[in-house]
């Protein structure tokens, strides 16, 4: 039986929500091994002068504990 742990992370990118989600995975994978999945819980955007300048995601990352 596998034990799965979930951590919640907020990440951002100026390129889009997909890039922000990838940034969360990239940063998490520096210290977390065996990442299995990511669940995007929330989407947010920072707007300046009528344009989106940053895309933010709140994600839950699941990984197997050895």
């Amino acid at each position: 039986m596998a034990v799965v742990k979930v951590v919640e992370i907020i990440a951002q990118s100026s390129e889009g929500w997909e890039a922000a989600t990838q940034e969360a995975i990239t940063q998490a994978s520096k210290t977390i091994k065996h990442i299995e999945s990511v669940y995007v819980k929330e989407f947010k955007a920072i707007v300046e002068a009528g344009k989106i300048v940053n895309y933010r995601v709140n994600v839950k990352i699941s990984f197997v504990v050895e």
Side-chain angles (χ1 to χ4, degrees), residues 8 15 23 28 33 39 41 46 49 51 54 58 63:
E8 194 164 334
E15 298 174 14
E23 181 64 18
K33 304 295 180 213
Y39 165 71
K41 183 177 170 184
I46 304 302
K51 295 194 176 202
N54 271 312
N58 184 343
F63 59 97

Side-chain angles (χ1 to χ4, degrees), residues 9-13 19-25 55-59:
I9 296 175
I10 297 171
Q12 72 178 17
S13 171
T21 303
Q22 183 59 58
E23 181 64 18
I25 295 295
Y55 299 85
R56 290 185 179 165
V57 291
N58 184 343
V59 300

Side-chain angles (χ1 to χ4, degrees), residues 1 5 7 14 18 21 23-24 29-30 36-39 44 46 49 54-57 59 61-63:
M1 178 173 99
K5 187 170 185 175
V7 294
S14 61
E18 186 175 338
T21 303
E23 181 64 18
S29 66
K30 290 180 180 179
E36 296 275 320
S37 66
V38 60
Y39 165 71
K44 294 182 182 180
I46 304 302
N54 271 312
Y55 299 85
R56 290 185 179 165
V57 291
V59 300
I61 295 176
S62 303
F63 59 97

